[in-house]
Amino acid sequence: MTDLTKLQTFSADRITAPLRNLTFRRIWLASLLSNLGILIQCVGAAWAMTQMTTSADKVALVQTALTLPVMLIAMPAGAIADMYDRCIVALVSLGITLASGTALTIFAWLNLVTPNVLLALCFAVGSGMALMGPAWQSSIPEQVPAEALPSAIALDVISYNIARSVGPALGGIAVATAGAVAAFALNALLYLPLILALSMWKRIPAPSRLPPERLSRAIVSGVRYIIHSPAIKVVLARSMVTGVIGGAVIALMPLVARDLLHGGAQSYGILLSAFGLGAVIGALSITEIRKRMSGEAAIRACALTMGGTVAAVAMSREPVLTATALVLAGAVWMITWVLFGIAVQLSAPRWVAGRSLAAYQAASSGGVAVGSWGWGNLTDVVGVNTALLVSVGLMLASPLLGLWLRMPRISARDEEAEVLTDPTVRLALTGRSGPLVVEIEYRVLQENARAFHNVMQEVQLARQRNGAFGWSIARDIADPELWTERYHCPTWLDYLRQRNRSTQSERATEQQAIAFHVDPNPVRVRRMLERPFGSSSDDTPNRGIAEVPPAIKATQAARKRGLFGAGSWR
C-alpha cells in the first residue's frame, strides 16, 4: 500500500470525514438540534404521564406511541423515499411533525392534555419522524463518498446521542421550572433549523429512463427484495429481538428514577443523559471496533455487556452507580444499533435503499415498541426490579441466536452495475403488457452439473430480489447438457426494471453461470408475452385482436382450479 493510499484510507476511516461535505454538515448540525428537541419532548411527555397516572403500562406507552408509527408506516415511507425526491419527502415529514408538536404545545398550555390526548399527539409526532427517517437515511450516500458512508452512518447515530446526553437534562430542567408545556414548545421550535437546512439542499436526483412504480407495487418490490436477501433478513431478525428484550431499561427508566432512586424529573433527565453520553462514546469508537472485531463478535460482546449493566441498574439504589452503569449500557446499546444500521446500508442497492432502511426501522422500533408495552405490563405485576432482571436473563441468552442467524460479513457497499440496453422488440408492447416469460438456455458439461446448479441458486435469489417470480431451473431428460432457466415478470416495464437492478456482484454471479456454457453459440434468451391476445384491458396494441374461444376459457378455468395437475396459468 502506497503512502497516498494509506493517507486516503486513514482519512476515510476518520469519523469526522463526512463533515467536510457542506450539505451533510449543514443538515447534520440542524438534525442535532432537532434531535435535541425530540429528547426534550420525550422527557416532558414521559414525566407528564407519570403525573397524570400511576399505571406503569401508561408510562411505558409513551415510548410505544413515539416508536410504533415506524413499524406501521415504515414500508410505505421507504417506498415513497425511493420513488420521489427525498429532500421534498423529508420536508413534508417535518411539516407533519412540526404541526403535531405545535398542537401538543397548545393543548398543554390550555391544560387540555389527558393521557389519551398525550399518546395520540406523541403518535402523530412519531408518524412524521417515521416518514422522514427512510428519506433522510437513504439520502446520506448522495452526500458523501462511498468510503465515508460508514462514518456518516455513525455520525447520524452520534447526532441523536449527543442530543440524548444533553437533551434529557435540559428537558428535566424545563419541566421542573416551567412544566411540560415548555418542553413541548422547545421541541416545536427546534424543528425549524432542519427545515431551513433541507430547503437549502439542492439535490440532483439521478435520472431514470423508466417511470416510477406505483406505491403498492413499490412496497411489494421492497418486500420481495428483503425476503430474498439473506443478509438483510438476518439483520432485521436480530434487531427486532434486540429491541424487544433490550428496550426494557429505556422504557422503564422513568420508573427507575421514581421508584428505585426516589427521584424526580431532574433525576430522570440525568439518567437519560448518562445513557446518551455512553451512546456517544460507543458511536465514536465504532471505526476501531469494526477494525478489530467481526460484526457477530461485536454484537455478542455488546449483548453480554448490556445484560451486566442492566443488572447493575436493577440492583442499584445509588444514583451515581446507576448513572455509571447507564453510561456503559448506552455505549454498547449504540454500538449494536450502528452495526445493524451499517449492515443494512451496505447490503441494499440504491434503488431499494429507502425500503430496506424502512424495514430495518420497522423491525428495530417495532421491537422496542412491543417490548415497551410488554415490559410495562410485566412491571405492573412483578415490579421494576424483577422486570429488569428478566430482561437481563434474555440479553445474556441472546448471543445464542448467532448460531442460526449469524451477522453477515460486509466490508463495502455493492454498487449497481451498468445499465443494459433494451432488448430488440418486434411485437407492439406497452409498459403494462404482460406477464412476460423469460427463458435462458445453457449447455453445461455433465461433470459440471452440480457446480452449475449451485451457482444458479445464487442467480435465483438475485432474480427474485430484483422483481422476477415463478423462477425455475430445468434439465432436459433427452439432452442432459441442456438446462433451461425460466422466470416471469408481471409487465414489460417490470422486466426492464428487473434486468437493470442488478448490482455488480449479482452481475458477476450471472457471468459465473454463463461461464459454464460450452456451446460455441451464445446463451439463448427467449422473451415471450404470455396471453398475448386480450391479456389486459389497458394493453391497447393487443385490444380487440382476438376473442378467446369458449373452449379455451373453460380450459383456463380448469387449470386455475387445479384440474390439470401441477401446471399453472398466469
Side-chain angles (χ1 to χ4, degrees), residues 418-471:
E418 62 181 15
V419 176
L420 301 174
T421 57
D422 292 344
T424 302
V425 176
R426 293 191 175 88
L427 181 66
L429 298 176
T430 68
R432 298 188 64 184
S433 297
L436 201 77
V437 184
V438 181
E439 290 185 351
I440 307 173
E441 291 185 353
Y442 306 85
R443 184 162 292 279
V444 180
L445 296 175
Q446 294 194 50
E447 57 265 30
N448 293 333
R450 176 59 61 185
F452 173 74
H453 185 265
N454 292 338
V455 172
M456 291 306 295
Q457 302 311 301
E458 297 298 320
V459 172
Q460 174 189 4
L461 287 176
R463 304 271 197 228
Q464 292 173 326
R465 277 196 296 267
N466 295 329
F469 69 94
W471 186 95

Side-chain angles (χ1 to χ4, degrees), residues 209-229:
R209 301 182 302 114
L210 304 174
E213 296 176 281
R214 300 192 306 272
L215 180 60
S216 59
R217 182 62 63 82
I219 294 173
V220 171
S221 296
V223 172
R224 284 179 58 83
Y225 185 89
I226 292 164
I227 288 174
H228 297 289
S229 177

Side-chain angles (χ1 to χ4, degrees), residues 44-55 59 115 118 175 180 258 263-265:
W47 195 252
M49 186 64 82
T50 63
Q51 300 304 299
M52 290 186 288
T53 179
T54 58
S55 173
V59 175
L118 179 62
V175 171
R258 189 187 70 183

